[in-house]
Amino acid sequence: DAKTTQPNSMESNEEEPVHLPCNHSTISGTDYIHWYRQLPSQGPEYVIHGLTSNVNNRMASLAIAEDRKSSTLILHRATLRDAAVYYCILNTGGFKTIFGAGTRLFVKA
Amino acid sequence: GAGVSQTPSNKVTEKGKYVELRCDPISGHTALYWYRQSLGQGPEFLIYFQGTGAADDSGLPNDRFFAVRPEGSVSTLKIQRTERGDSAVYLCASSEVGDTQYFGPGTRLTVL
Protein backbone atom coordinates (compact mmCIF):
# COMPACT_ATOMS: atom_id res chain seq x y z
CA ASP A 1 0.00 0.00 0.00
CA ALA A 2 1.32 3.41 -0.95
CA LYS A 3 2.22 5.55 2.04
CA THR A 4 1.98 9.23 2.80
CA THR A 5 4.27 11.51 4.80
CA GLN A 6 2.96 14.50 6.73
CA PRO A 7 4.47 16.86 9.30
CA ASN A 8 3.61 15.90 12.85
CA SER A 9 2.14 19.29 13.69
CA MET A 10 1.51 22.76 12.35
CA GLU A 11 0.35 25.99 13.85
CA SER A 12 -1.78 28.74 12.38
CA ASN A 13 -3.35 31.99 13.45
CA GLU A 14 -7.09 32.33 13.33
CA GLU A 15 -8.48 33.86 10.13
CA GLU A 16 -5.28 33.09 8.22
CA PRO A 17 -4.87 30.49 5.44
CA VAL A 18 -3.30 27.14 6.27
CA HIS A 19 -1.42 24.92 3.85
CA LEU A 20 -1.08 21.32 5.02
CA PRO A 21 1.42 19.35 2.93
CA CYS A 22 1.46 15.66 2.12
CA ASN A 23 4.08 13.63 0.27
CA HIS A 24 3.10 10.45 -1.52
CA SER A 25 6.00 9.65 -3.81
CA THR A 26 4.93 6.01 -4.38
CA ILE A 27 1.40 6.89 -5.49
CA SER A 28 -0.01 4.72 -8.26
CA GLY A 29 -2.09 5.88 -11.17
CA THR A 30 -5.35 4.65 -9.67
CA ASP A 31 -4.84 6.06 -6.18
CA TYR A 32 -7.17 8.84 -5.16
CA ILE A 33 -5.83 11.34 -2.61
CA HIS A 34 -8.23 11.69 0.28
CA TRP A 35 -8.11 14.05 3.23
CA TYR A 36 -9.94 13.41 6.47
CA ARG A 37 -9.79 15.28 9.72
CA GLN A 38 -10.46 14.18 13.25
CA LEU A 39 -11.68 16.57 15.89
CA PRO A 40 -11.05 15.69 19.53
CA SER A 41 -13.12 12.74 20.76
CA GLN A 42 -14.77 12.21 17.39
CA GLY A 43 -14.36 9.85 14.46
CA PRO A 44 -12.61 11.10 11.33
CA GLU A 45 -14.66 13.14 8.90
CA TYR A 46 -14.20 13.50 5.18
CA VAL A 47 -12.73 16.77 3.95
CA ILE A 48 -11.94 16.44 0.27
CA HIS A 49 -10.48 14.13 -2.33
CA GLY A 50 -9.02 14.30 -5.83
CA LEU A 51 -7.19 12.32 -8.47
CA THR A 52 -5.25 14.70 -10.72
CA SER A 53 -6.94 18.09 -10.86
CA ASN A 54 -7.19 20.61 -8.07
CA VAL A 55 -10.47 20.44 -6.19
CA ASN A 56 -12.52 22.92 -4.19
CA ASN A 57 -15.43 22.41 -1.84
CA ARG A 58 -17.05 24.33 0.97
CA MET A 59 -14.53 23.06 3.52
CA ALA A 60 -11.21 23.33 1.73
CA SER A 61 -9.19 23.19 -1.46
CA LEU A 62 -6.89 20.43 -2.60
CA ALA A 63 -3.88 21.27 -4.72
CA ILE A 64 -2.26 18.26 -6.41
CA ALA A 65 1.22 18.44 -7.88
CA GLU A 66 1.54 17.74 -11.56
CA ASP A 67 3.50 14.52 -10.91
CA ARG A 68 0.99 13.60 -8.16
CA LYS A 69 3.79 12.88 -5.72
CA SER A 70 2.58 15.52 -3.31
CA SER A 71 -0.54 17.45 -2.46
CA THR A 72 -1.58 20.32 -0.22
CA LEU A 73 -4.79 20.80 1.70
CA ILE A 74 -5.67 24.48 1.90
CA LEU A 75 -7.93 25.91 4.56
CA HIS A 76 -8.62 29.42 3.36
CA ARG A 77 -9.40 30.98 6.72
CA ALA A 78 -8.58 28.89 9.75
CA THR A 79 -10.97 29.02 12.67
CA LEU A 80 -10.62 27.59 16.15
CA ARG A 81 -12.98 24.81 15.10
CA ASP A 82 -10.46 23.70 12.48
CA ALA A 83 -8.06 22.54 15.18
CA ALA A 84 -7.85 18.81 14.52
CA VAL A 85 -5.64 16.03 13.21
CA TYR A 86 -5.60 16.03 9.41
CA TYR A 87 -4.95 12.77 7.58
CA CYS A 88 -3.82 12.45 3.99
CA ILE A 89 -4.47 8.96 2.66
CA LEU A 90 -4.35 7.16 -0.66
CA ASN A 91 -7.32 5.08 -1.63
CA THR A 92 -7.97 2.85 -4.59
CA GLY A 93 -11.61 1.94 -4.93
CA GLY A 94 -12.49 2.57 -1.31
CA PHE A 95 -11.15 -0.65 0.10
CA LYS A 96 -8.40 -1.12 2.66
CA THR A 97 -7.43 2.32 3.88
CA ILE A 98 -4.10 3.06 5.53
CA PHE A 99 -4.01 6.07 7.85
CA GLY A 100 -0.72 7.56 9.00
CA ALA A 101 -0.28 9.63 12.14
CA GLY A 102 -1.55 12.77 10.41
CA THR A 103 -0.79 16.42 11.09
CA ARG A 104 -2.08 17.98 14.26
CA LEU A 105 -3.17 21.53 13.47
CA PHE A 106 -3.13 24.09 16.26
CA VAL A 107 -5.05 27.31 15.67
CA LYS A 108 -4.24 30.34 17.78
CA ALA A 109 -6.82 33.01 18.50
CA GLY B 1 -30.18 11.64 7.85
CA ALA B 2 -28.78 9.44 10.58
CA GLY B 3 -25.06 8.86 10.55
CA VAL B 4 -23.07 5.85 11.63
CA SER B 5 -23.81 4.87 15.20
CA GLN B 6 -21.78 2.68 17.51
CA THR B 7 -22.70 1.08 20.79
CA PRO B 8 -21.68 1.13 23.50
CA SER B 9 -19.81 4.42 23.55
CA ASN B 10 -17.64 3.11 26.36
CA LYS B 11 -16.90 -0.43 27.47
CA VAL B 12 -14.82 -1.43 30.46
CA THR B 13 -14.02 -5.09 30.85
CA GLU B 14 -11.61 -7.33 32.64
CA LYS B 15 -8.72 -9.17 31.08
CA GLY B 16 -9.86 -12.49 29.66
CA LYS B 17 -13.49 -11.49 29.10
CA TYR B 18 -15.40 -11.51 25.82
CA VAL B 19 -16.77 -8.28 24.33
CA GLU B 20 -19.00 -7.34 21.42
CA LEU B 21 -18.99 -3.93 19.78
CA ARG B 22 -21.85 -2.94 17.51
CA CYS B 23 -21.95 -0.72 14.43
CA ASP B 24 -25.06 0.59 12.69
CA PRO B 25 -24.03 1.94 9.29
CA ILE B 26 -25.76 4.55 7.21
CA SER B 27 -28.80 3.01 5.56
CA GLY B 28 -28.03 1.75 2.08
CA HIS B 29 -24.26 1.71 2.48
CA THR B 30 -22.96 -1.62 1.28
CA ALA B 31 -19.38 -1.18 2.49
CA LEU B 32 -18.49 -1.28 6.18
CA TYR B 33 -15.10 -0.89 7.81
CA TRP B 34 -13.69 -1.45 11.28
CA TYR B 35 -10.62 0.39 12.57
CA ARG B 36 -8.77 0.52 15.86
CA GLN B 37 -7.17 3.70 17.15
CA SER B 38 -4.65 3.91 19.93
CA LEU B 39 -3.85 7.15 21.68
CA GLY B 40 -1.87 9.55 19.50
CA GLN B 41 -2.04 7.37 16.42
CA GLY B 42 -4.12 7.25 13.28
CA PRO B 43 -6.86 4.68 12.79
CA GLU B 44 -5.55 1.19 12.02
CA PHE B 45 -7.54 -0.82 9.47
CA LEU B 46 -8.99 -4.08 10.79
CA ILE B 47 -11.57 -5.42 8.34
CA TYR B 48 -13.74 -4.40 5.41
CA PHE B 49 -17.14 -5.83 4.49
CA GLN B 50 -18.81 -5.64 1.12
CA GLY B 51 -22.38 -6.67 1.83
CA THR B 52 -22.40 -9.67 4.15
CA GLY B 53 -18.94 -10.93 3.34
CA ALA B 54 -15.58 -9.85 4.68
CA ALA B 55 -13.74 -8.70 1.57
CA ASP B 56 -10.50 -7.97 3.42
CA ASP B 57 -9.76 -9.05 7.00
CA SER B 58 -6.01 -8.68 6.75
CA GLY B 59 -5.93 -6.09 9.53
CA LEU B 60 -7.34 -8.31 12.26
CA PRO B 61 -4.42 -8.75 14.67
CA ASN B 62 -5.08 -12.38 15.62
CA ASP B 63 -7.79 -15.00 15.87
CA ARG B 64 -9.23 -13.49 19.04
CA PHE B 65 -10.80 -10.85 16.80
CA PHE B 66 -13.78 -11.66 14.63
CA ALA B 67 -16.44 -9.57 12.90
CA VAL B 68 -19.76 -10.40 11.32
CA ARG B 69 -22.36 -8.63 9.23
CA PRO B 70 -25.03 -11.30 8.74
CA GLU B 71 -27.66 -9.24 6.94
CA GLY B 72 -25.41 -6.76 5.21
CA SER B 73 -26.28 -3.92 7.55
CA VAL B 74 -25.40 -3.99 11.26
CA SER B 75 -21.98 -5.36 12.10
CA THR B 76 -20.55 -6.73 15.32
CA LEU B 77 -16.87 -6.84 16.20
CA LYS B 78 -16.16 -9.63 18.66
CA ILE B 79 -13.07 -9.89 20.80
CA GLN B 80 -12.40 -13.05 22.79
CA ARG B 81 -10.10 -13.37 25.81
CA THR B 82 -9.45 -9.65 25.90
CA GLU B 83 -5.97 -8.41 26.78
CA ARG B 84 -4.88 -5.06 28.15
CA GLY B 85 -3.28 -4.29 24.79
CA ASP B 86 -6.72 -4.41 23.17
CA SER B 87 -7.61 -1.16 24.92
CA ALA B 88 -8.28 1.43 22.21
CA VAL B 89 -11.05 3.30 20.43
CA TYR B 90 -12.75 1.06 17.89
CA LEU B 91 -14.11 2.99 14.93
CA CYS B 92 -16.63 1.89 12.37
CA ALA B 93 -17.19 3.53 8.99
CA SER B 94 -19.55 2.90 6.12
CA SER B 95 -19.69 3.97 2.50
CA GLU B 96 -21.22 3.32 -0.84
CA VAL B 97 -18.82 1.18 -2.84
CA GLY B 98 -15.63 3.07 -3.62
CA ASP B 99 -16.92 6.28 -2.09
CA THR B 100 -16.22 8.48 0.91
CA GLN B 101 -16.18 6.75 4.27
CA TYR B 102 -18.43 8.09 7.02
CA PHE B 103 -17.20 7.33 10.50
CA GLY B 104 -19.06 6.72 13.72
CA PRO B 105 -18.02 8.24 17.04
CA GLY B 106 -16.25 5.08 18.13
CA THR B 107 -16.38 2.75 21.11
CA ARG B 108 -13.72 3.28 23.74
CA LEU B 109 -12.69 -0.13 25.06
CA THR B 110 -10.75 -0.36 28.29
CA VAL B 111 -9.42 -3.72 29.42
CA LEU B 112 -8.40 -3.76 33.07
Side-chain angles (χ1 to χ4, degrees):
Chain A
D1 301 302
K3 292 185 177 179
T4 63
T5 304
Q6 300 176 253
N8 291 333
S9 65
M10 292 186 66
E11 197 172 83
S12 171
N13 293 317
E14 200 176 11
E15 302 296 318
E16 291 186 356
V18 182
H19 290 229
L20 298 166
C22 181
N23 288 319
H24 29 78
S25 58
T26 60
I27 191 171
S28 72
T30 56
D31 283 332
Y32 280 80
I33 302 159
H34 286 243
W35 284 81
Y36 286 78
R37 73 178 186 181
Q38 188 170 23
L39 280 65
S41 301
Q42 295 187 26
E45 66 172 341
Y46 168 81
V47 177
I48 199 166
H49 78 282
L51 183 62
T52 57
S53 303
N54 295 343
V55 184
N56 299 294
N57 66 21
R58 64 174 181 82
M59 289 182 71
S61 295
L62 176 60
I64 302 173
E66 199 168 330
D67 63 5
R68 300 211 325 126
K69 295 186 176 182
S70 66
S71 61
T72 302
L73 179 70
I74 302 166
L75 306 180
H76 296 286
R77 290 178 62 198
T79 70
L80 297 177
R81 288 179 295 179
D82 291 323
V85 178
Y86 287 79
Y87 298 101
C88 165
I89 60 176
L90 303 181
N91 190 292
T92 303
F95 303 130
K96 182 175 180 177
T97 305
I98 306 297
F99 283 79
T103 297
R104 182 172 296 277
L105 176 66
F106 298 93
V107 181
K108 296 187 297 183
Chain B
V4 177
S5 63
Q6 293 186 246
T7 53
S9 55
N10 281 283
K11 176 69 177 178
V12 180
T13 191
E14 293 180 343
K15 180 176 178 296
K17 299 289 188 183
Y18 167 83
V19 296
E20 289 190 353
L21 311 179
R22 176 187 168 108
C23 173
D24 280 86
I26 292 172
S27 177
H29 280 186
T30 56
L32 186 145
Y33 310 76
W34 283 99
Y35 296 85
R36 177 170 70 174
Q37 188 171 27
S38 300
L39 193 63
Q41 299 188 19
E44 171 193 6
F45 171 84
L46 296 178
I47 187 170
Y48 156 72
F49 285 91
Q50 179 53 41
T52 60
D56 187 339
D57 64 357
S58 61
L60 295 177
N62 52 60
D63 61 6
R64 295 186 298 105
F65 288 75
F66 190 70
V68 295
R69 195 185 185 200
E71 298 179 357
S73 178
V74 170
S75 177
T76 304
L77 178 66
K78 308 180 180 193
I79 310 174
Q80 298 177 320
R81 305 183 304 280
T82 52
E83 300 177 357
R84 292 195 180 87
D86 299 335
S87 296
V89 175
Y90 288 81
L91 294 163
C92 175
S94 72
S95 75
E96 297 178 358
V97 176
D99 206 348
T100 302
Q101 295 180 42
Y102 294 86
F103 284 79
T107 293
R108 181 175 298 280
L109 175 66
T110 303
V111 182
L112 301 177

